Amino acid sequence: MTDTSETHAELKEPALRAYRAMVLARTFDSKISALYKAGKIMGGVFLGRGHEAIAASEGVFLTPGKDIYFSFIREQAGRIAWGEPIIEGARSYFGSALGYMRGRDGNVHRGQPKEGYIVPISHLGSGVAVVAGGLIAKRLNGEVPGAVGVACVGDGTTSTGALHEAANLAAVEHLPLVLVVTNNQFAYSTPNIRQFACASLLDRGRGYGMAAHETDGTDFMATLKTMKQAIDAARRGEGPQWVLANTLRMCGHGEHDDASYIPQELKDAYAAKDCLDVAARQLLQLGWITEEEIERIRQECADEVQTAVALAQREPEPDPYSDWSATSWEPAY
């Protein structure tokens, strides 16, 4: 790494926040995985192992209540960097009536639409259209320029009609949309070679008339810098931005999937450049963190996850016979 701390001085504060979000997300995912395998979690579990640098770099530059964020379903680090407390993740998995979704939807499907935090769904292309529509609404209300929308999809989603329509709309309307494409190399089990024939997914972004950026999703500082450049450009009114972040999902599509279709040598190659290890090493080299601080962050995150999981397990489940409007708490929407 040749860059100096002075080169990245403006990134120090967001880098440290993003790194903590990454550690907290990985710790939470590991805990949820163990609970799922022990039969304590109902429904699907979708982890973001290998996505953390990309996700945290999205959320850390956004402002709740001003910007719009549609995260990838597995991007726990992005949710945390956006501002979501880890207790909300635990509440979602355990169906707590006190969570964002009041226990009426679970696991990864949660959000706060009033704050611009769109509830992610499995049909990721459709979510891009929701963000585009939200940005048009903000324009009509005089909130654009200034606000941005970040929508996150995978390589497989770039083949859907919903994404094509939304991306085309964003380009034609010159919306401040940042479309982040995380290239997992496998859309569930479909490899890139069976997913698209263009040389790079950057070509698809350029085809819509968007500014195109590419980053190695395992390189924390490079990803952070690229995401900031794209979000800043959209915020300045330079139109939609297409960000291609290349990585490998270091787990199955869900915990029900053993990812046996991914060659072991590819798994080993990416395990050797785990984005959490890369981030810690880069922050140490920049002099922005110490080994002692890294260990403290890890312990704090472990304690925070343990506390959140224990609390969520004790909280009430939703009453299927109750009237939503008769409850004492305000609905998440």
Coordinates of all heavy atoms in Angstrom, one line a residue, residues 226-301:
T226 N -13.9 4.8 -3.7 CA -14.7 4.7 -4.9 C -16.2 5.0 -4.6 O -16.9 5.8 -5.3 CB -14.7 3.3 -5.5 OG1 -13.3 3.0 -5.9 CG2 -15.6 3.2 -6.8
M227 N -16.7 4.5 -3.5 CA -18.1 4.8 -3.1 C -18.3 6.2 -2.8 O -19.3 6.8 -3.2 CB -18.5 3.9 -1.9 CG -19.9 3.5 -1.9 SD -20.4 2.3 -3.2 CE -19.6 0.8 -2.6
K228 N -17.3 6.8 -2.1 CA -17.4 8.3 -1.8 C -17.5 9.1 -3.1 O -18.3 10.0 -3.2 CB -16.3 8.7 -0.9 CG -16.4 10.2 -0.5 CD -15.3 10.6 0.4 CE -15.5 12.0 1.0 NZ -15.6 13.0 0.0
Q229 N -16.6 8.8 -4.0 CA -16.6 9.5 -5.3 C -17.9 9.4 -6.0 O -18.4 10.4 -6.5 CB -15.5 8.9 -6.2 CG -14.1 9.3 -5.7 CD -13.0 8.6 -6.5 OE1 -13.2 7.6 -7.2 NE2 -11.8 9.1 -6.5
A230 N -18.5 8.2 -6.1 CA -19.8 8.0 -6.8 C -20.9 8.8 -6.1 O -21.7 9.4 -6.7 CB -20.1 6.5 -6.9
I231 N -21.0 8.6 -4.7 CA -22.0 9.3 -4.0 C -21.9 10.8 -4.1 O -22.9 11.5 -4.2 CB -22.1 8.8 -2.5 CG1 -22.5 7.3 -2.5 CG2 -23.0 9.6 -1.6 CD1 -22.4 6.7 -1.1
D232 N -20.7 11.3 -4.0 CA -20.4 12.7 -4.1 C -20.9 13.3 -5.4 O -21.5 14.3 -5.6 CB -19.0 13.1 -3.8 CG -18.6 13.0 -2.3 OD1 -19.5 12.8 -1.5 OD2 -17.4 13.1 -2.1
A233 N -20.6 12.5 -6.5 CA -20.9 12.9 -7.8 C -22.4 13.0 -8.0 O -23.0 13.9 -8.6 CB -20.3 12.0 -8.9
A234 N -23.1 12.0 -7.5 CA -24.6 12.0 -7.6 C -25.2 13.2 -6.8 O -26.1 13.8 -7.2 CB -25.1 10.7 -7.1
R235 N -24.6 13.4 -5.6 CA -25.1 14.5 -4.8 C -24.9 15.9 -5.4 O -25.6 16.8 -5.2 CB -24.4 14.4 -3.4 CG -25.2 15.1 -2.3 CD -24.5 15.0 -0.9 NE -24.4 13.7 -0.4 CZ -25.3 13.0 0.2 NH1 -26.6 13.5 0.3 NH2 -25.1 11.8 0.7
R236 N -23.8 16.0 -6.2 CA -23.5 17.3 -6.9 C -24.4 17.5 -8.1 O -24.4 18.5 -8.8 CB -22.1 17.3 -7.4 CG -21.1 17.5 -6.3 CD -19.7 17.8 -6.8 NE -19.2 16.8 -7.7 CZ -18.4 15.8 -7.4 NH1 -18.0 15.7 -6.1 NH2 -18.0 14.9 -8.3
G237 N -25.2 16.5 -8.5 CA -26.1 16.6 -9.6 C -25.6 16.1 -10.9 O -26.0 16.5 -12.0
E238 N -24.6 15.2 -10.8 CA -23.9 14.7 -12.0 C -24.6 13.5 -12.6 O -24.1 12.8 -13.5 CB -22.5 14.4 -11.7 CG -21.7 15.7 -11.4 CD -20.2 15.4 -11.1 OE1 -19.7 14.3 -11.4 OE2 -19.6 16.3 -10.5
G239 N -25.8 13.2 -12.1 CA -26.6 12.1 -12.7 C -26.3 10.7 -12.0 O -25.5 10.7 -11.1
P240 N -26.9 9.7 -12.5 CA -26.8 8.4 -11.9 C -25.4 7.8 -12.1 O -24.7 8.0 -13.1 CB -27.8 7.5 -12.6 CG -28.1 8.2 -13.9 CD -27.9 9.7 -13.6
Q241 N -25.0 7.1 -11.1 CA -23.6 6.5 -11.0 C -23.8 4.9 -10.9 O -24.6 4.4 -10.1 CB -22.8 7.0 -9.8 CG -22.8 8.5 -9.7 CD -22.0 9.2 -10.7 OE1 -20.8 8.9 -11.0 NE2 -22.6 10.2 -11.4
W242 N -23.0 4.2 -11.7 CA -23.0 2.7 -11.6 C -21.7 2.3 -11.0 O -20.6 2.6 -11.5 CB -23.1 2.2 -13.1 CG -23.1 0.7 -13.3 CD1 -22.0 -0.1 -13.2 CD2 -24.2 -0.1 -13.6 NE1 -22.4 -1.4 -13.5 CE2 -23.7 -1.4 -13.8 CE3 -25.6 0.2 -13.8 CZ2 -24.6 -2.5 -14.1 CZ3 -26.4 -0.9 -14.1 CH2 -25.9 -2.2 -14.3
V243 N -21.7 1.6 -9.9 CA -20.5 1.2 -9.2 C -20.5 -0.4 -9.2 O -21.4 -1.1 -8.7 CB -20.5 1.6 -7.7 CG1 -19.3 1.1 -7.0 CG2 -20.6 3.1 -7.6
L244 N -19.4 -0.9 -9.8 CA -19.2 -2.3 -9.9 C -18.2 -2.7 -8.8 O -17.0 -2.3 -8.9 CB -18.7 -2.8 -11.2 CG -18.4 -4.2 -11.4 CD1 -19.6 -5.1 -11.2 CD2 -17.8 -4.5 -12.8
A245 N -18.6 -3.5 -7.9 CA -17.7 -4.0 -6.8 C -17.5 -5.5 -6.9 O -18.5 -6.3 -6.8 CB -18.3 -3.6 -5.4
N246 N -16.3 -5.9 -7.2 CA -16.0 -7.3 -7.4 C -15.6 -8.0 -6.1 O -14.7 -7.6 -5.5 CB -15.0 -7.5 -8.5 CG -15.4 -6.9 -9.8 OD1 -16.4 -7.3 -10.4 ND2 -14.6 -5.9 -10.3
T247 N -16.2 -9.2 -5.9 CA -15.8 -9.9 -4.7 C -16.3 -11.4 -4.9 O -16.7 -11.8 -6.0 CB -16.4 -9.3 -3.4 OG1 -15.9 -10.0 -2.3 CG2 -17.9 -9.4 -3.3
L248 N -16.3 -12.1 -3.8 CA -16.9 -13.5 -3.8 C -17.7 -13.6 -2.5 O -17.2 -13.2 -1.4 CB -15.8 -14.6 -3.8 CG -16.3 -16.0 -3.8 CD1 -16.9 -16.4 -5.1 CD2 -15.2 -17.0 -3.5
R249 N -18.9 -14.1 -2.7 CA -19.7 -14.4 -1.5 C -19.1 -15.5 -0.7 O -19.0 -16.7 -1.3 CB -21.1 -14.7 -1.9 CG -22.1 -14.8 -0.7 CD -23.5 -15.2 -1.2 NE -23.5 -16.5 -1.8 CZ -23.8 -16.8 -3.1 NH1 -24.2 -15.8 -3.9 NH2 -23.8 -18.0 -3.5
M250 N -18.6 -15.3 0.5 CA -17.8 -16.4 1.2 C -18.7 -17.3 2.0 O -18.4 -17.7 3.1 CB -16.8 -15.7 2.1 CG -15.7 -14.9 1.3 SD -14.7 -15.9 0.3 CE -13.9 -16.9 1.5
C251 N -19.8 -17.6 1.4 CA -20.8 -18.6 2.0 C -21.8 -18.9 0.9 O -21.7 -18.4 -0.2 CB -21.5 -17.9 3.2 SG -22.2 -16.3 2.9
G252 N -22.8 -19.7 1.3 CA -23.8 -20.0 0.3 C -24.8 -18.9 0.1 O -24.7 -17.9 0.8
H253 N -25.7 -19.0 -0.8 CA -26.7 -18.0 -1.0 C -27.5 -17.8 0.3 O -27.8 -16.7 0.7 CB -27.7 -18.5 -2.1 CG -28.9 -17.6 -2.3 ND1 -28.8 -16.4 -2.9 CD2 -30.1 -17.7 -1.9 CE1 -29.9 -15.8 -2.9 NE2 -30.8 -16.6 -2.3
G254 N -27.7 -18.8 1.0 CA -28.3 -18.8 2.4 C -27.6 -19.9 3.1 O -26.9 -20.7 2.6
E255 N -27.9 -20.0 4.4 CA -27.3 -21.0 5.2 C -27.8 -22.4 4.9 O -27.2 -23.4 5.4 CB -27.5 -20.7 6.7 CG -26.6 -19.6 7.2 CD -25.1 -19.9 7.1 OE1 -24.6 -19.6 6.1 OE2 -24.6 -20.4 8.1
H256 N -28.8 -22.5 4.1 CA -29.3 -23.8 3.6 C -28.5 -24.3 2.4 O -28.7 -25.4 2.0 CB -30.8 -23.6 3.2 CG -31.0 -22.6 2.1 ND1 -31.1 -21.3 2.5 CD2 -31.1 -22.7 0.8 CE1 -31.3 -20.6 1.3 NE2 -31.2 -21.4 0.3
D257 N -27.6 -23.5 1.9 CA -26.8 -23.7 0.7 C -25.4 -23.9 1.1 O -24.8 -23.0 1.7 CB -27.0 -22.6 -0.2 CG -26.1 -22.6 -1.4 OD1 -25.6 -23.7 -1.8 OD2 -25.8 -21.5 -2.0
D258 N -24.8 -25.1 0.7 CA -23.4 -25.3 1.1 C -22.4 -24.7 0.1 O -21.2 -24.9 0.3 CB -23.1 -26.8 1.3 CG -23.3 -27.6 0.0 OD1 -23.5 -27.0 -1.1 OD2 -23.2 -28.9 0.0
A259 N -22.9 -24.1 -1.0 CA -22.0 -23.4 -2.0 C -21.0 -24.4 -2.6 O -19.9 -24.0 -2.9 CB -21.3 -22.3 -1.3
S260 N -21.4 -25.7 -2.8 CA -20.5 -26.7 -3.3 C -20.2 -26.4 -4.8 O -19.2 -27.0 -5.3 CB -21.1 -28.1 -3.2 OG -22.4 -28.1 -3.8
Y261 N -20.9 -25.5 -5.4 CA -20.7 -25.2 -6.8 C -19.5 -24.2 -7.0 O -19.1 -23.9 -8.1 CB -22.0 -24.5 -7.4 CG -22.6 -23.5 -6.5 CD1 -22.2 -22.2 -6.5 CD2 -23.7 -23.9 -5.6 CE1 -22.8 -21.3 -5.6 CE2 -24.2 -23.0 -4.8 CZ -23.8 -21.7 -4.8 OH -24.4 -20.8 -3.9
I262 N -19.0 -23.6 -5.9 CA -17.9 -22.7 -6.0 C -16.6 -23.5 -5.9 O -16.4 -24.2 -4.9 CB -17.9 -21.6 -4.9 CG1 -19.2 -20.8 -5.0 CG2 -16.7 -20.7 -5.0 CD1 -19.4 -19.7 -3.9
P263 N -15.7 -23.4 -6.8 CA -14.5 -24.2 -6.7 C -13.7 -23.9 -5.4 O -13.6 -22.7 -5.0 CB -13.7 -23.8 -7.9 CG -14.7 -23.3 -8.9 CD -15.8 -22.7 -8.1
Q264 N -13.1 -24.9 -4.8 CA -12.4 -24.7 -3.5 C -11.3 -23.8 -3.7 O -11.0 -23.0 -2.8 CB -12.0 -26.0 -3.0 CG -11.4 -26.0 -1.5 CD -12.4 -25.4 -0.5 OE1 -13.5 -25.9 -0.5 NE2 -12.0 -24.5 0.3
E265 N -10.6 -23.8 -4.8 CA -9.4 -22.9 -5.0 C -9.8 -21.5 -5.0 O -9.1 -20.6 -4.6 CB -8.6 -23.3 -6.2 CG -9.4 -23.3 -7.5 CD -10.0 -24.6 -7.9 OE1 -10.3 -25.4 -7.0 OE2 -10.3 -24.8 -9.1
L266 N -11.0 -21.2 -5.5 CA -11.5 -19.8 -5.6 C -11.9 -19.4 -4.1 O -11.6 -18.2 -3.8 CB -12.8 -19.7 -6.5 CG -13.3 -18.3 -6.8 CD1 -12.2 -17.5 -7.4 CD2 -14.5 -18.4 -7.7
K267 N -12.5 -20.3 -3.4 CA -12.8 -19.9 -2.0 C -11.5 -19.6 -1.2 O -11.5 -18.7 -0.4 CB -13.5 -21.1 -1.3 CG -14.9 -21.4 -1.8 CD -15.5 -22.6 -1.1 CE -16.9 -22.9 -1.7 NZ -17.5 -24.1 -1.0
D268 N -10.5 -20.5 -1.4 CA -9.2 -20.3 -0.7 C -8.6 -19.0 -1.1 O -8.0 -18.3 -0.2 CB -8.3 -21.5 -1.0 CG -8.8 -22.8 -0.5 OD1 -9.6 -22.8 0.5 OD2 -8.3 -23.8 -0.9
A269 N -8.6 -18.6 -2.4 CA -8.0 -17.4 -2.8 C -8.7 -16.2 -2.2 O -8.0 -15.2 -1.8 CB -8.1 -17.3 -4.4
Y270 N -10.0 -16.2 -2.0 CA -10.6 -15.0 -1.4 C -10.5 -15.1 0.1 O -10.5 -14.0 0.7 CB -12.1 -15.0 -1.9 CG -12.2 -14.2 -3.2 CD1 -12.0 -14.9 -4.4 CD2 -12.5 -12.9 -3.2 CE1 -12.1 -14.2 -5.6 CE2 -12.6 -12.2 -4.4 CZ -12.4 -12.8 -5.6 OH -12.5 -12.1 -6.8
A271 N -10.4 -16.2 0.7 CA -10.3 -16.3 2.1 C -8.9 -15.7 2.5 O -8.8 -15.1 3.6 CB -10.3 -17.8 2.6
A272 N -7.9 -15.8 1.6 CA -6.6 -15.2 1.9 C -6.6 -13.7 1.8 O -5.7 -13.0 2.3 CB -5.6 -15.7 0.9
K273 N -7.7 -13.1 1.2 CA -7.8 -11.6 1.2 C -9.1 -11.2 1.7 O -9.8 -10.3 1.2 CB -7.5 -11.1 -0.2 CG -8.4 -11.7 -1.3 CD -8.1 -11.2 -2.7 CE -8.9 -11.8 -3.8 NZ -8.6 -11.2 -5.1
D274 N -9.5 -11.7 2.9 CA -10.7 -11.4 3.6 C -10.8 -9.9 3.8 O -9.8 -9.3 4.3 CB -10.8 -12.1 4.9 CG -12.1 -11.9 5.7 OD1 -12.6 -10.8 5.7 OD2 -12.5 -12.9 6.3
C275 N -11.9 -9.2 3.4 CA -11.9 -7.8 3.5 C -11.8 -7.2 4.9 O -11.3 -6.1 5.1 CB -13.2 -7.2 2.9 SG -14.7 -7.8 3.7
L276 N -12.1 -8.0 5.9 CA -11.9 -7.5 7.3 C -10.5 -7.5 7.7 O -10.0 -6.6 8.3 CB -12.7 -8.4 8.3 CG -14.0 -7.9 8.8 CD1 -15.1 -8.0 7.7 CD2 -14.5 -8.6 10.0
D277 N -9.7 -8.5 7.2 CA -8.3 -8.6 7.5 C -7.6 -7.4 6.7 O -6.7 -6.8 7.2 CB -7.7 -9.9 7.1 CG -8.2 -11.0 8.0 OD1 -8.7 -10.8 9.1 OD2 -8.2 -12.2 7.5
V278 N -8.0 -7.3 5.5 CA -7.4 -6.2 4.7 C -7.7 -4.8 5.3 O -6.8 -4.0 5.4 CB -8.0 -6.2 3.2 CG1 -7.5 -5.0 2.4 CG2 -7.6 -7.5 2.5
A279 N -8.9 -4.6 5.8 CA -9.2 -3.3 6.4 C -8.4 -3.1 7.6 O -7.8 -1.9 7.8 CB -10.7 -3.3 6.7
A280 N -8.2 -4.1 8.5 CA -7.4 -3.9 9.7 C -6.0 -3.5 9.3 O -5.4 -2.6 9.9 CB -7.5 -5.1 10.5
R281 N -5.5 -4.3 8.4 CA -4.1 -4.0 7.9 C -3.9 -2.6 7.4 O -2.9 -1.9 7.7 CB -3.7 -5.1 6.9 CG -2.2 -5.1 6.5 CD -1.8 -6.4 5.8 NE -2.5 -6.6 4.6 CZ -3.5 -7.6 4.5 NH1 -3.8 -8.3 5.5 NH2 -4.1 -7.7 3.3
Q282 N -4.8 -2.2 6.5 CA -4.7 -0.9 5.9 C -4.8 0.2 7.0 O -4.1 1.2 6.9 CB -5.8 -0.7 4.9 CG -5.5 -1.6 3.6 CD -6.7 -1.4 2.6 OE1 -7.8 -1.1 2.9 NE2 -6.3 -1.7 1.3
L283 N -5.7 0.1 7.9 CA -5.9 1.1 9.0 C -4.7 1.2 9.9 O -4.3 2.3 10.3 CB -7.2 0.8 9.8 CG -8.5 1.0 9.1 CD1 -9.6 0.5 9.9 CD2 -8.7 2.4 8.7
L284 N -4.1 0.0 10.1 CA -2.8 0.0 10.9 C -1.7 0.7 10.1 O -0.9 1.5 10.7 CB -2.4 -1.5 11.2 CG -3.2 -2.2 12.3 CD1 -2.9 -3.7 12.2 CD2 -2.9 -1.6 13.7
Q285 N -1.6 0.4 8.8 CA -0.5 1.1 8.0 C -0.7 2.6 7.9 O 0.3 3.3 7.9 CB -0.5 0.4 6.6 CG 0.0 -1.0 6.6 CD -0.2 -1.7 5.2 OE1 -0.9 -1.2 4.4 NE2 0.5 -2.8 5.1
L286 N -2.0 3.0 7.9 CA -2.2 4.5 7.9 C -2.0 5.1 9.2 O -2.0 6.4 9.3 CB -3.7 4.7 7.4 CG -3.9 4.5 5.9 CD1 -5.4 4.4 5.6 CD2 -3.3 5.5 5.1
G287 N -1.9 4.3 10.3 CA -1.7 4.9 11.6 C -3.0 5.4 12.2 O -3.0 6.2 13.2
W288 N -4.1 4.9 11.7 CA -5.4 5.4 12.2 C -6.0 4.5 13.3 O -7.0 4.9 13.9 CB -6.4 5.4 11.1 CG -6.1 6.5 10.0 CD1 -5.2 7.5 10.1 CD2 -6.8 6.7 8.8 NE1 -5.2 8.3 9.0 CE2 -6.2 7.8 8.1 CE3 -7.8 6.0 8.1 CZ2 -6.6 8.2 6.9 CZ3 -8.2 6.4 6.8 CH2 -7.6 7.5 6.2
I289 N -5.3 3.4 13.6 CA -5.8 2.5 14.6 C -4.6 1.7 15.1 O -3.6 1.6 14.4 CB -6.9 1.6 14.0 CG1 -7.8 1.0 15.1 CG2 -6.3 0.5 13.2 CD1 -9.1 0.3 14.5
T290 N -4.8 1.2 16.3 CA -3.7 0.3 16.9 C -4.2 -1.1 17.1 O -5.4 -1.4 17.0 CB -3.3 0.9 18.2 OG1 -4.4 0.8 19.2 CG2 -2.8 2.3 18.2
E291 N -3.3 -2.0 17.3 CA -3.7 -3.4 17.5 C -4.6 -3.5 18.7 O -5.5 -4.3 18.7 CB -2.4 -4.3 17.7 CG -1.5 -4.4 16.5 CD -2.1 -5.5 15.5 OE1 -3.2 -6.0 15.7 OE2 -1.3 -5.8 14.6
E292 N -4.3 -2.7 19.8 CA -5.1 -2.7 21.0 C -6.5 -2.2 20.7 O -7.5 -2.8 21.2 CB -4.5 -1.9 22.0 CG -3.2 -2.4 22.6 CD -2.0 -2.2 21.7 OE1 -2.1 -1.3 20.7 OE2 -1.0 -2.9 21.8
E293 N -6.7 -1.2 19.8 CA -8.0 -0.7 19.5 C -8.8 -1.7 18.7 O -10.0 -1.9 18.8 CB -7.8 0.6 18.8 CG -7.4 1.8 19.7 CD -7.0 3.0 18.9 OE1 -6.6 2.9 17.7 OE2 -7.2 4.1 19.4
I294 N -8.1 -2.4 17.8 CA -8.7 -3.5 17.0 C -9.3 -4.5 17.9 O -10.5 -5.0 17.8 CB -7.8 -4.1 16.0 CG1 -7.5 -3.1 14.9 CG2 -8.3 -5.4 15.4 CD1 -6.4 -3.5 13.9
E295 N -8.5 -5.0 18.9 CA -9.0 -6.0 19.8 C -10.1 -5.5 20.7 O -11.1 -6.2 20.9 CB -7.8 -6.5 20.7 CG -8.2 -7.6 21.7 CD -8.8 -8.8 20.9 OE1 -8.3 -9.1 19.8 OE2 -9.7 -9.4 21.5
R296 N -10.1 -4.2 21.0 CA -11.2 -3.6 21.8 C -12.5 -3.6 21.0 O -13.5 -3.9 21.5 CB -10.8 -2.2 22.3 CG -11.9 -1.5 23.1 CD -11.5 -0.2 23.6 NE -10.9 0.7 22.5 CZ -11.6 1.4 21.6 NH1 -13.0 1.3 21.6 NH2 -11.0 2.1 20.8
I297 N -12.4 -3.2 19.8 CA -13.5 -3.2 18.9 C -14.1 -4.6 18.8 O -15.4 -4.8 18.8 CB -13.2 -2.6 17.5 CG1 -12.9 -1.1 17.6 CG2 -14.3 -2.9 16.5 CD1 -12.3 -0.5 16.4
R298 N -13.3 -5.6 18.6 CA -13.8 -7.0 18.4 C -14.5 -7.4 19.7 O -15.6 -8.0 19.6 CB -12.6 -7.9 18.1 CG -12.0 -7.7 16.7 CD -10.8 -8.5 16.6 NE -10.2 -8.4 15.2 CZ -9.0 -8.7 14.8 NH1 -8.2 -9.2 15.8 NH2 -8.6 -8.6 13.6
Q299 N -14.0 -7.1 20.8 CA -14.6 -7.5 22.1 C -15.9 -6.7 22.3 O -16.9 -7.3 22.7 CB -13.7 -7.2 23.3 CG -14.2 -7.8 24.6 CD -14.5 -9.3 24.5 OE1 -13.6 -10.1 24.2 NE2 -15.7 -9.7 24.9
E300 N -15.9 -5.4 22.0 CA -17.1 -4.6 22.2 C -18.2 -5.2 21.3 O -19.4 -5.2 21.7 CB -16.8 -3.2 21.8 CG -16.0 -2.4 22.9 CD -15.7 -1.0 22.5 OE1 -15.9 -0.7 21.3 OE2 -15.1 -0.3 23.3
C301 N -17.9 -5.5 20.0 CA -18.9 -6.0 19.1 C -19.4 -7.4 19.6 O -20.6 -7.6 19.4 CB -18.3 -6.2 17.7 SG -17.9 -4.6 16.9

